[in-house]
Amino acid sequence: MANSIYFASTTLHLYVASAIAASRPGEDAHLIFIDQPESKPYPLYDIVRNWPGSPFSSVSLFYGRFPGLFNKLRKRRQLFAALSQKLMQLRPEHIFTGNDRRIEFQFAMHKAKAIGSSAIGHYMDEGVFTYLGRDASSSFSDRIIDNSIKKIIYGLWWKNPPTVGASDWITYVHPAFPELIHPLLRKKRLVPLNAASFNSKAMQSLSESILLKSGIPPESLGAVETFITLPHESIFENEPLYRERIAFIVRQQTELGKAVAVKYHPRNKSPDSLDLSSEGIHLLPAEVSFEALLPYLSSECEILGDLSSTMIMARWLRPDLKVNAFSLDNSSFGILLRTIGISKYT
């Protein structure tokens, strides 16, 4: 049986990788978590290792965020050595990633070729970049400076993608909305993702495990009538009117008698930047993944949020839900959200 490797650095990567792996029964799938802070507990790793319905034959964790420049370079060499051993052991025919800028993926593709495996590269939909592209990829800094430095440090095998998912390493793209992907990705072979794959019993058990680990009884989400997902707190700090608008919306929903739940951005420094707990709403743990919450929301629930990947994922994975944005301008992102059926909250 052919081996395949799936690199995941986010919960979304895990969910998409799991759905794809489950749909490819002719392969032996192996999951590798990457890009996590060194020596910091990573609960998702243990959850997946103990996941009864897992489509993965093995699960590994390779840390990727190291403090200090020289320490980082030394640890990167160790990382490459560990990856080399894994690739020699598995000799994968397919390698999946949610970001082909990740050094782990590019090294794996290079190493696989060097040992005669000739693995095929796959890009898994990660959200915004899939549809709007990554403007920074075409900047002088990325194309010339960053590209040259990485080639000098790591080797000529490093390839600077013109946008995420468009590097020469990628043959197949797995998008949620194939008709809307960035033009550079349309040059690849497309394999549309199937949202139904996320409704399997195995995926539900994964979501349940993630919620319970965060202290959330899954059944409690069924009572939520308005679910608000918030951007990073820097938005509130830089735009005072934004803070007032969110507070107004929360107050408006509670005055309508709605059961409101709010999830802050996981990288916020403050647990309650807007002091919403005083409004009598249900604050969900910021670190819990949005993907794990979605399956347990009632079909009557309304999701409110801003211009982010969570809105795209909500529209795709739960097409039965009403999804509205706080603001919806005529930017490329605003047009994308309108195209997939998201309206402006009024």
Side-chain angles (χ1 to χ4, degrees):
M1 183 178 289
N3 287 320
S4 58
I5 287 177
Y6 293 77
F7 286 112
S9 56
T10 67
T11 309
L12 176 58
H13 292 169
L14 167 63
Y15 272 75
V16 177
S18 300
I20 294 174
S23 69
R24 297 166 66 93
E27 292 180 353
D28 206 6
H30 301 266
L31 179 70
I32 300 179
F33 284 114
I34 58 172
D35 194 31
Q36 303 307 317
E38 182 183 28
S39 303
K40 184 179 180 181
Y42 189 54
L44 204 54
Y45 174 53
D46 292 325
I47 288 174
V48 177
R49 282 199 303 171
N50 296 306
W51 177 18
S54 173
F56 303 109
S57 298
S58 71
V59 184
S60 306
L61 171 60
F62 291 169
Y63 291 107
R65 298 187 205 171
F66 311 110
L69 177 60
F70 292 107
N71 178 56
K72 179 179 180 179
L73 293 175
R74 181 174 61 86
K75 290 297 179 69
R76 277 276 169 87
R77 287 195 291 270
Q78 295 175 2
L79 171 63
F80 290 162
L83 271 174
S84 293
Q85 289 184 348
K86 180 68 72 173
L87 289 159
M88 290 291 291
Q89 171 194 346
L90 297 177
R91 293 185 173 272
E93 294 187 11
H94 298 271
I95 300 180
F96 294 75
T97 184
N99 186 349
D100 57 340
R101 290 184 56 82
R102 290 302 316 163
I103 199 75
E104 295 90 342
F105 167 74
Q106 292 213 19
F107 175 80
M109 292 297 294
H110 156 71
K111 188 65 179 180
K113 184 178 181 179
I115 64 177
S117 177
S118 298
I120 297 171
H122 298 249
Y123 168 67
M124 307 181 294
D125 195 338
E126 62 74 56
V128 176
F129 289 147
T130 304
Y131 305 95
L132 302 184
R134 181 178 180 271
D135 291 339
S137 295
S138 58
S139 67
F140 178 81
S141 174
D142 260 32
R143 288 188 301 105
I144 307 299
I145 300 176
D146 183 72
N147 188 29
S148 300
I149 290 174
K150 284 182 176 175
K151 285 184 183 294
I152 292 171
I153 295 176
Y154 300 122
L156 295 177
W157 49 263
W158 165 261
K159 302 177 188 291
N160 183 57
T163 188
V164 174
S167 73
D168 292 340
W169 292 121
I170 299 296
T171 300
Y172 290 92
V173 171
H174 301 256
F177 299 100
E179 68 281 4
L180 299 176
I181 61 174
H182 190 274
L184 287 173
L185 299 187
R186 294 174 194 164
K187 300 176 182 179
K188 308 294 184 179
R189 300 181 188 178
L190 303 185
V191 183
L193 292 171
N194 182 3
S197 303
F198 291 79
N199 297 323
S200 68
K201 289 184 178 180
M203 296 297 278
Q204 288 177 1
S205 71
L206 172 63
S207 295
E208 181 179 16
S209 297
I210 292 174
L211 293 180
L212 292 175
K213 185 74 174 181
S214 298
I216 303 174
E219 62 275 9
S220 68
L221 296 171
V224 175
E225 295 172 285
T226 303
F227 182 95
I228 300 177
T229 173
L230 295 173
H232 191 265
E233 60 192 355
S234 60
I235 302 294
F236 311 144
E237 296 166 357
N238 298 332
E239 299 181 36
L241 292 179
Y242 192 100
R243 176 190 294 267
E244 294 175 12
R245 170 134 176 89
I246 301 301
F248 172 79
I249 290 173
V250 170
R251 196 173 302 114
Q252 187 179 53
Q253 290 293 309
T254 54
E255 288 176 354
L256 289 172
K258 298 288 186 69
V260 180
V262 172
K263 179 184 176 315
Y264 278 103
H265 194 280
R267 289 195 296 274
N268 281 5
K269 293 179 181 179
S270 170
D272 190 7
S273 306
L274 301 180
D275 192 29
L276 295 178
S277 56
S278 63
E279 300 288 342
I281 54 92
H282 182 197
L283 277 186
L284 295 169
E287 68 277 5
V288 69
S289 68
F290 184 69
E291 296 81 11
L293 294 164
L294 274 177
Y296 294 97
L297 297 176
S298 162
S299 59
E300 302 300 316
C301 180
E302 177 180 10
I303 294 180
L304 301 178
D306 215 327
L307 308 183
S308 67
S309 289
T310 57
M311 305 296 279
I312 298 174
M313 292 303 107
R315 196 81 210 108
W316 174 48
L317 295 177
R318 290 297 305 271
D320 57 317
L321 299 181
K322 179 190 289 187
V323 182
N324 288 329
F326 301 137
S327 57
L328 208 57
D329 53 26
N330 291 320
S331 65
S332 298
F333 207 159
I335 293 171
L336 170 64
L337 295 187
R338 284 196 188 92
T339 302
I340 63 176
I342 293 175
S343 302
K344 182 178 179 180
Y345 176 81
T346 55

